[in-house]
Amino acid sequence: MPEIIVYAAEGRTVEQKKKLLKAVTVAVAESFEIDANSVTVSIIETPKHHKAKGGVPFDER
């Protein structure tokens, strides 16, 4: 029973997150040749002011 965790900056819509959850589930189920009900996917969101790339916070990009 694989579990996938996606880390992302906050700001995506509920529909975008649902689309990602479904796509990741399908990809893992097909790749591992298992039932999709065996796959768990979680999205961990971080506030943009708590995440930086190249030292620049995401909320300042």
Side-chain angles (χ1 to χ4, degrees):
M1 296 193 306
E3 181 171 356
I4 294 78
I5 301 171
V6 177
Y7 293 93
E10 66 183 359
R12 303 307 193 292
T13 66
V14 171
E15 288 306 314
Q16 289 172 317
K17 289 182 270 191
K18 284 182 180 181
K19 187 175 178 180
L20 176 67
L21 292 169
K22 181 66 174 177
V24 171
T25 298
V26 169
V28 172
E30 289 179 357
S31 297
F32 284 6
E33 299 178 0
I34 58 174
D35 186 272
N37 290 318
S38 298
V39 180
T40 300
V41 183
S42 298
I43 300 172
I44 308 297
E45 293 184 287
T46 305
K48 290 184 178 181
H49 61 279
H50 287 180
K51 195 173 194 85
K53 186 173 186 177
V56 179
F58 279 42
D59 65 344
E60 294 178 14
R61 292 178 161 272

